[in-house]
Amino acid sequence: MKLSEIGEFGFIDRFSGKFSALNKNEEYGIGDDCAIMPLDDQYNQIVTTDLLIEDIHFLRSAITPFDLGYKALAVNLSDIAAMGGTPSASFLSIALPADTEVEYMDQVMEGYRSLSEKYRVPLLGGDTTKSPDKIVINVCVTGKVLKGKAKLRSSAMTGDYICVSGPLGDSAAGLNMLLNNINPDNQTKNLISWHNRPEPAITEGLWLGRQEGVNAMMDISDGIASDLKHILTRSGKGAVIHLENIPLSEALRATSRNNTIDVLKFALSGGEDYRLLFTVQSQDFEKIKKDYNKHFQTPLTCIGKITEENPGEIMWMQENRPFVFQKGGFNHFSQ
Amino acid sequence: MKLSEIGEFGFIDRFSGKFSALNKNEEYGIGDDCAIMPLDDQYNQIVTTDLLIEDIHFLRSAITPFDLGYKALAVNLSDIAAMGGTPSASFLSIALPADTEVEYMDQVMEGYRSLSEKYRVPLLGGDTTKSPDKIVINVCVTGKVLKGKAKLRSSAMTGDYICVSGPLGDSAAGLNMLLNNINPDNQTKNLISWHNRPEPAITEGLWLGRQEGVNAMMDISDGIASDLKHILTRSGKGAVIHLENIPLSEALRATSRNNTIDVLKFALSGGEDYRLLFTVQSQDFEKIKKDYNKHFQTPLTCIGKITEENPGEIMWMQENRPFVFQKGGFNHFSQ
């Protein structure tokens, strides 16, 4: 049997149960944005890791080396943000073909350092090795969160409002432009820059992490059609999503007018948005939304509600009528 | 300029200084086997990461999937051992071609789990993704060590005895047999198994970590000709090594008789021994050696002494005459 037949999550399911007996007290492992381990009396440590492979996650011709370094760290900081945590350190493993230009790698490291400085996250170690042909980058980031305060995927409650921290689909639309050599204009070039240099929602995540009314949280890396299901499965709940409430940027709407692309497909299953997806208790929603919008430029948007019915399933609604949405999120190993 | 012209350490030198301003109190980063970060009142945390790439670090045809999983974790546990630390958790990133057999990966994970169980190290997270063609495995391991008690590369003192925790060169000789299709006999098959399934010196490292008389320590991954220089450079010391004292296994000696291979080259610069290399204060040496040999089957061997002269340099001696040893350790990016 090939991996492509069982997919990424099928593979993880095959071994994760066999390892869980080794977990100690206060340790939570595979299945959330970060693992959780005890740190000291006050804090737990959170850890995440992400692997980027040339020609799978990026094309050398479509991203500057600076952005590549920036993004490699950003996607990990986004996982720390998703737990409501503060990043503390990073570890970088890189495999490089021997004929890689030193100046190219200097730029990769400059991009990485620029984001490290923004959030004061030191680079404390790593591994550097030769690769046969592709550039391989693995980043591991540690962070901390007050004990018992990490926002988990498993904490959604019936009646919660489902919210996102910014517009969806920009990254996927940017990737689509890159892959199809669509020249960006002033309005649509933002889509490409969000794809190549996403900004992790560290400050938003920390703020949301402090709100008691925020129940479940994760970051959107595979598209909400796939990611929201992780929250639903782990919380044992269902969801209703109102498509007309999905926030879309002006840039994405403009692309749609110019190129007749399927905006909704990008917004729901495009992936790499790195926005936060979270659920808020209904009685706290209005206050949290108001306070959030005072703190942050990009408004908090409610896109639906958590339901008791149909656990693990999303009911898509468009103007109060059910909508059949087939395409799931990105699944690794599919050919 | 190509990376092959400046090598692995030349590349690291280009960026490591630019990042160090971000380090906080009690944090030590790039340059030792593990990074050190504050954990709680009593302990520091140590972190290491290692990247294995198919056709660079292993050939799929020359290692069983079980051994591949075992080794991917072992090389990281060896770094924890080298600090005198206790491993606490691991994080595994894997990129796999879509046509990889599920049963092959089940075996990889069984090997990984088998070593995880031996030292009770839970697998708490990771990343799974598609690879264009090669298998890529990155492992990150956290551990802990009493504050101020981590054994660093920078702590060697003039007059220290330089010691190793086991015979050298077995792994390189095993690799040589695999690459040249030399059929192992009963005696030499151990060389291949040490190459494919090295045993991290966790218990030895913990024991040595508790000895006040042990100054510097590291694990031998690139061969002592290269690795010892890291201790010398960081400690500002020189070394004299007596080649006749280098411990060689019976299996390695047997291979030499049968195949006229250059045993010394394997022992000094072959790499992947994963034995511990450490320095012991002269006044404590006899007691530490005696106690160590009571605790462990493989005896502690003294191979030379730390000197004040020629900082950063190794003087090789054979029966009290200088010996010119040219070949350095393995350098990534060399073509």
Side-chain angles (χ1 to χ4, degrees), chain B residues 71-90:
Chain B
K71 185 171 181 175
L73 181 57
V75 302
N76 283 277
L77 293 185
S78 182
D79 286 319
I80 299 286
M83 309 293 282
T86 308
S88 56
S90 81

PDB file of all heavy atoms in Angstrom, chain B residues 71-90:
ATOM      1  N   LYS B  71      18.143   5.087  14.059  1.00  0.00           N
ATOM      2  CA  LYS B  71      19.321   5.962  13.940  1.00  0.00           C
ATOM      3  C   LYS B  71      18.933   7.444  13.935  1.00  0.00           C
ATOM      4  O   LYS B  71      19.648   8.275  14.500  1.00  0.00           O
ATOM      5  CB  LYS B  71      20.078   5.621  12.649  1.00  0.00           C
ATOM      6  CG  LYS B  71      21.385   6.387  12.495  1.00  0.00           C
ATOM      7  CD  LYS B  71      22.210   5.865  11.325  1.00  0.00           C
ATOM      8  CE  LYS B  71      23.518   6.625  11.187  1.00  0.00           C
ATOM      9  NZ  LYS B  71      24.381   6.051  10.127  1.00  0.00           N
ATOM     10  N   ALA B  72      17.797   7.771  13.305  1.00  0.00           N
ATOM     11  CA  ALA B  72      17.371   9.176  13.232  1.00  0.00           C
ATOM     12  C   ALA B  72      17.219   9.761  14.638  1.00  0.00           C
ATOM     13  O   ALA B  72      17.576  10.911  14.894  1.00  0.00           O
ATOM     14  CB  ALA B  72      16.057   9.296  12.459  1.00  0.00           C
ATOM     15  N   LEU B  73      16.704   8.951  15.570  1.00  0.00           N
ATOM     16  CA  LEU B  73      16.578   9.410  16.957  1.00  0.00           C
ATOM     17  C   LEU B  73      17.916   9.293  17.687  1.00  0.00           C
ATOM     18  O   LEU B  73      18.296  10.177  18.458  1.00  0.00           O
ATOM     19  CB  LEU B  73      15.492   8.598  17.676  1.00  0.00           C
ATOM     20  CG  LEU B  73      15.225   8.969  19.137  1.00  0.00           C
ATOM     21  CD1 LEU B  73      14.837  10.438  19.286  1.00  0.00           C
ATOM     22  CD2 LEU B  73      14.131   8.076  19.741  1.00  0.00           C
ATOM     23  N   ALA B  74      18.658   8.210  17.414  1.00  0.00           N
ATOM     24  CA  ALA B  74      19.912   7.940  18.149  1.00  0.00           C
ATOM     25  C   ALA B  74      20.911   9.083  18.013  1.00  0.00           C
ATOM     26  O   ALA B  74      21.553   9.474  18.992  1.00  0.00           O
ATOM     27  CB  ALA B  74      20.538   6.637  17.649  1.00  0.00           C
ATOM     28  N   VAL B  75      21.054   9.634  16.805  1.00  0.00           N
ATOM     29  CA  VAL B  75      22.069  10.675  16.599  1.00  0.00           C
ATOM     30  C   VAL B  75      21.721  11.935  17.395  1.00  0.00           C
ATOM     31  O   VAL B  75      22.611  12.692  17.791  1.00  0.00           O
ATOM     32  CB  VAL B  75      22.273  10.995  15.097  1.00  0.00           C
ATOM     33  CG1 VAL B  75      22.686   9.731  14.356  1.00  0.00           C
ATOM     34  CG2 VAL B  75      21.033  11.591  14.446  1.00  0.00           C
ATOM     35  N   ASN B  76      20.441  12.163  17.643  1.00  0.00           N
ATOM     36  CA  ASN B  76      20.027  13.291  18.474  1.00  0.00           C
ATOM     37  C   ASN B  76      20.213  12.996  19.963  1.00  0.00           C
ATOM     38  O   ASN B  76      20.661  13.853  20.722  1.00  0.00           O
ATOM     39  CB  ASN B  76      18.559  13.638  18.192  1.00  0.00           C
ATOM     40  CG  ASN B  76      18.393  14.409  16.899  1.00  0.00           C
ATOM     41  OD1 ASN B  76      18.566  15.615  16.867  1.00  0.00           O
ATOM     42  ND2 ASN B  76      18.088  13.704  15.809  1.00  0.00           N
ATOM     43  N   LEU B  77      19.866  11.782  20.378  1.00  0.00           N
ATOM     44  CA  LEU B  77      20.057  11.417  21.788  1.00  0.00           C
ATOM     45  C   LEU B  77      21.537  11.497  22.143  1.00  0.00           C
ATOM     46  O   LEU B  77      21.919  11.837  23.269  1.00  0.00           O
ATOM     47  CB  LEU B  77      19.509  10.014  22.065  1.00  0.00           C
ATOM     48  CG  LEU B  77      17.988   9.859  21.951  1.00  0.00           C
ATOM     49  CD1 LEU B  77      17.575   8.440  22.375  1.00  0.00           C
ATOM     50  CD2 LEU B  77      17.247  10.892  22.797  1.00  0.00           C
ATOM     51  N   SER B  78      22.386  11.192  21.167  1.00  0.00           N
ATOM     52  CA  SER B  78      23.830  11.263  21.388  1.00  0.00           C
ATOM     53  C   SER B  78      24.269  12.692  21.734  1.00  0.00           C
ATOM     54  O   SER B  78      25.163  12.888  22.555  1.00  0.00           O
ATOM     55  CB  SER B  78      24.551  10.753  20.133  1.00  0.00           C
ATOM     56  OG  SER B  78      25.941  10.758  20.321  1.00  0.00           O
ATOM     57  N   ASP B  79      23.630  13.688  21.122  1.00  0.00           N
ATOM     58  CA  ASP B  79      23.943  15.087  21.459  1.00  0.00           C
ATOM     59  C   ASP B  79      23.506  15.440  22.876  1.00  0.00           C
ATOM     60  O   ASP B  79      24.150  16.228  23.562  1.00  0.00           O
ATOM     61  CB  ASP B  79      23.256  16.044  20.464  1.00  0.00           C
ATOM     62  CG  ASP B  79      23.940  16.056  19.105  1.00  0.00           C
ATOM     63  OD1 ASP B  79      25.177  16.045  19.061  1.00  0.00           O
ATOM     64  OD2 ASP B  79      23.226  16.087  18.087  1.00  0.00           O
ATOM     65  N   ILE B  80      22.374  14.881  23.293  1.00  0.00           N
ATOM     66  CA  ILE B  80      21.907  15.101  24.673  1.00  0.00           C
ATOM     67  C   ILE B  80      22.904  14.458  25.642  1.00  0.00           C
ATOM     68  O   ILE B  80      23.298  15.063  26.653  1.00  0.00           O
ATOM     69  CB  ILE B  80      20.488  14.496  24.862  1.00  0.00           C
ATOM     70  CG1 ILE B  80      19.467  15.160  23.925  1.00  0.00           C
ATOM     71  CG2 ILE B  80      20.058  14.582  26.329  1.00  0.00           C
ATOM     72  CD1 ILE B  80      19.035  16.552  24.276  1.00  0.00           C
ATOM     73  N   ALA B  81      23.338  13.219  25.320  1.00  0.00           N
ATOM     74  CA  ALA B  81      24.324  12.510  26.148  1.00  0.00           C
ATOM     75  C   ALA B  81      25.597  13.338  26.282  1.00  0.00           C
ATOM     76  O   ALA B  81      26.213  13.389  27.355  1.00  0.00           O
ATOM     77  CB  ALA B  81      24.640  11.146  25.532  1.00  0.00           C
ATOM     78  N   ALA B  82      25.986  14.000  25.182  1.00  0.00           N
ATOM     79  CA  ALA B  82      27.242  14.739  25.148  1.00  0.00           C
ATOM     80  C   ALA B  82      27.252  15.934  26.095  1.00  0.00           C
ATOM     81  O   ALA B  82      28.308  16.460  26.435  1.00  0.00           O
ATOM     82  CB  ALA B  82      27.519  15.218  23.726  1.00  0.00           C
ATOM     83  N   MET B  83      26.066  16.388  26.524  1.00  0.00           N
ATOM     84  CA  MET B  83      25.997  17.499  27.478  1.00  0.00           C
ATOM     85  C   MET B  83      25.860  16.961  28.908  1.00  0.00           C
ATOM     86  O   MET B  83      25.780  17.749  29.854  1.00  0.00           O
ATOM     87  CB  MET B  83      24.781  18.395  27.189  1.00  0.00           C
ATOM     88  CG  MET B  83      24.627  18.879  25.778  1.00  0.00           C
ATOM     89  SD  MET B  83      25.926  20.017  25.258  1.00  0.00           S
ATOM     90  CE  MET B  83      25.423  21.565  26.024  1.00  0.00           C
ATOM     91  N   GLY B  84      25.760  15.644  29.061  1.00  0.00           N
ATOM     92  CA  GLY B  84      25.489  15.055  30.372  1.00  0.00           C
ATOM     93  C   GLY B  84      24.027  15.177  30.748  1.00  0.00           C
ATOM     94  O   GLY B  84      23.679  15.186  31.931  1.00  0.00           O
ATOM     95  N   GLY B  85      23.141  15.267  29.750  1.00  0.00           N
ATOM     96  CA  GLY B  85      21.724  15.535  30.009  1.00  0.00           C
ATOM     97  C   GLY B  85      20.821  14.316  29.920  1.00  0.00           C
ATOM     98  O   GLY B  85      21.230  13.248  29.482  1.00  0.00           O
ATOM     99  N   THR B  86      19.583  14.521  30.345  1.00  0.00           N
ATOM    100  CA  THR B  86      18.534  13.501  30.264  1.00  0.00           C
ATOM    101  C   THR B  86      17.556  13.925  29.174  1.00  0.00           C
ATOM    102  O   THR B  86      17.028  15.037  29.231  1.00  0.00           O
ATOM    103  CB  THR B  86      17.738  13.440  31.592  1.00  0.00           C
ATOM    104  OG1 THR B  86      18.663  13.295  32.652  1.00  0.00           O
ATOM    105  CG2 THR B  86      16.758  12.281  31.598  1.00  0.00           C
ATOM    106  N   PRO B  87      17.287  13.068  28.189  1.00  0.00           N
ATOM    107  CA  PRO B  87      16.341  13.468  27.143  1.00  0.00           C
ATOM    108  C   PRO B  87      14.919  13.535  27.693  1.00  0.00           C
ATOM    109  O   PRO B  87      14.556  12.739  28.560  1.00  0.00           O
ATOM    110  CB  PRO B  87      16.469  12.363  26.094  1.00  0.00           C
ATOM    111  CG  PRO B  87      17.014  11.178  26.840  1.00  0.00           C
ATOM    112  CD  PRO B  87      17.826  11.710  27.986  1.00  0.00           C
ATOM    113  N   SER B  88      14.117  14.488  27.184  1.00  0.00           N
ATOM    114  CA  SER B  88      12.745  14.604  27.693  1.00  0.00           C
ATOM    115  C   SER B  88      11.676  14.398  26.627  1.00  0.00           C
ATOM    116  O   SER B  88      10.617  13.863  26.923  1.00  0.00           O
ATOM    117  CB  SER B  88      12.548  15.949  28.387  1.00  0.00           C
ATOM    118  OG  SER B  88      12.866  17.014  27.524  1.00  0.00           O
ATOM    119  N   ALA B  89      11.903  14.810  25.389  1.00  0.00           N
ATOM    120  CA  ALA B  89      10.876  14.639  24.350  1.00  0.00           C
ATOM    121  C   ALA B  89      11.513  14.758  22.976  1.00  0.00           C
ATOM    122  O   ALA B  89      12.595  15.329  22.835  1.00  0.00           O
ATOM    123  CB  ALA B  89       9.780  15.701  24.494  1.00  0.00           C
ATOM    124  N   SER B  90      10.818  14.217  21.965  1.00  0.00           N
ATOM    125  CA  SER B  90      11.321  14.349  20.600  1.00  0.00           C
ATOM    126  C   SER B  90      10.220  14.844  19.672  1.00  0.00           C
ATOM    127  O   SER B  90       9.023  14.698  19.961  1.00  0.00           O
ATOM    128  CB  SER B  90      11.893  13.020  20.096  1.00  0.00           C
ATOM    129  OG  SER B  90      10.876  12.165  19.639  1.00  0.00           O
TER     130      SER B  90
END
